[in-house]
């Protein structure tokens, strides 16, 4: 994915020639908050954050803690677009974008690529790949829920912006994959989720069942979203700091979680990672959640390939030189 410079337009600007996929989404946004001369996507997610603050008492600092964590995590990811670690004060003091969002709480424009090999169990066994195989034990996709739109796709009066940015899509997806995998959120150790903006990460904690509704701010403030806590969320640095090259973002999340489950991530390795959860979305609207696990039948089997990509190209060359 090679992105054009500047912020995403969201399909609502300019002079469209006909109906656009985001038309009803914009109507809900306008019903709740006046449109401003700021990036459209920042208005959607920033205003969802404002709703969360009004409804649950979430603070500006709690949104900032999400970004502080992700920038800190990215310092150990060789593939990150940014590796600078910031204090919470620096996060909060960066230029304001919209609502609770400051610049360092927003994902950047990015170029990037990612790849994954998906194969059958028979293929894995035939080629002796059990030592590096990770199994998809649950996967689901949901589109926009009826909580924000009527049967014709028109905006419902009084609908929340939080619903428009995918809360119910994520909640429905998560319920499906937990059922498919036979586990719950309490059984997951590592998570890569779609933190296009800090507000979305915090709201998604609740949609994925990582904490009760309204408690996302308390979860991040407790330290249970980082190393040493209950979960490690976005060990890669997430979209905010690792980067967000749109089409490549989801597969990059997959790569990070597979490396984590193989125990190959070096200083950013999540301890005892056995189950991983991925969340990815796009407005207008689609959400996909996936659960990955290391097959217990192949525990202890050494990988067939001699080097891992988890530590970056420089590390790869160093490993190869030692062979």
């Amino acid at each position: 994915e090679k992105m054009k410079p500047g912020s995403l337009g969201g399909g609502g600007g300019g002079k469209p020639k006909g109906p656009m996929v985001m038309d009803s989404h914009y109507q809900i946004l306008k019903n709740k908050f006046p449109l401003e001369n700021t990036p459209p996507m920042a208005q959607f997610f920033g205003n969802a954050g404002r709703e969360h603050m009004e409804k649950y008492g979430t603070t500006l600092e709690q949104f900032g803690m999400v970004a502080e964590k992700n920038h800190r995590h990215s310092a150990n990811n060789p593939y990150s677009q940014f590796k600078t670690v910031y204090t919470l004060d620096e996060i909060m003091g960066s230029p304001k974008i919209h609502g609770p969002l400051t610049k360092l709480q927003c994902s950047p424009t990015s170029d990037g690529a990612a790849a994954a090999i998906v194969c059958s169990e028979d293929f894995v066994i035939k080629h002796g790949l059990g030592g590096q195989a990770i199994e998809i034990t649950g996967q689901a996709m949901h589109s926009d829920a009826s909580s924000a739109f009527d049967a014709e796709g028109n905006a419902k009066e009084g609908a929340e912006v939080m619903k428009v940015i995918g809360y119910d899509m994520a909640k429905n997806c998560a319920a499906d994959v937990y059922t498919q995998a036979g586990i719950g959120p309490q059984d997951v150790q590592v998570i890569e989720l779609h933190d296009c903006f800090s507000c979305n990460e915090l709201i998604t904690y609740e949609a994925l069942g990582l904490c009760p509704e309204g408690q996302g701010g308390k979860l991040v403030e407790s330290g249970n979203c980082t190393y040493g806590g209950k979960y490690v969320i976005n060990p890669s640095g997430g979209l905010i700091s690792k980067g967000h090259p749109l089409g490549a973002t989801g597969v990059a999340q997959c790569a990070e979680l597979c490396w984590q489950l193989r125990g190959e991530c070096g200083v950013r390795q999540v301890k005892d990672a056995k189950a991983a959860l991925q969340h990815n979305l796009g407005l207008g609207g689609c959400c996909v959640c996936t659960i990955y696990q290391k097959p217990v039948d192949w525990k202890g089997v050494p990988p067939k390939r001699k080097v891992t990509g988890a530590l970056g190209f420089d590390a790869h060359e160093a490993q190869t030189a030692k062979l």
Side-chain angles (χ1 to χ4, degrees), residues 5 11 32 64 76 86 99 101 115 148 150 159 167 193 212 245 249 261-262 272 277 307 313:
K32 295 295 292 288
N76 291 320
Y86 298 95
L101 293 170
D150 63 22
Y167 182 90
L193 63 78
T249 287
L261 291 174
R262 293 178 190 141
D272 297 327
L277 172 64
V307 296
F313 291 113

Side-chain angles (χ1 to χ4, degrees), residues 66-86:
V66 171
E68 183 280 324
K69 167 186 67 70
N70 290 348
H71 283 287
R72 172 165 37 88
H73 287 179
S74 73
N76 291 320
N77 183 358
Y79 297 107
S80 287
Q81 186 171 352
F82 303 112
K83 295 185 176 67
T84 303
V85 176
Y86 298 95

Side-chain angles (χ1 to χ4, degrees), residues 249-277:
T249 287
V251 184
Q253 291 177 319
C254 169
E256 176 67 22
L257 294 176
C258 287
W259 289 329
Q260 289 286 349
L261 291 174
R262 293 178 190 141
E264 298 174 342
C265 290
V267 293
R268 75 178 190 279
Q269 179 63 47
V270 176
K271 184 179 179 181
D272 297 327
K274 297 180 178 64
L277 172 64

Side-chain angles (χ1 to χ4, degrees), residues 136 138-144 165-178 180 191-195 200 204 207-208 239 247 249-251 253-254 257 276-283 285-292:
I136 296 172
Q139 188 170 67
M141 180 175 71
H142 280 261
S143 58
D144 283 318
I165 66 162
Y167 182 90
D168 285 341
M169 287 196 293
K171 186 174 182 179
N172 293 335
C173 269
D176 282 355
V177 296
Y178 291 142
Q180 291 172 24
I191 300 157
E192 284 281 319
L193 63 78
H194 195 277
D195 62 314
N200 195 51
T204 302
L208 298 179
L239 284 56
T249 287
V251 184
Q253 291 177 319
C254 169
L257 294 176
L277 172 64
Q278 178 187 357
H279 160 271
N280 196 18
L281 70 83
L283 297 191
C286 181
C287 178
V288 177
C289 287
T290 306
I291 289 178
Y292 304 91

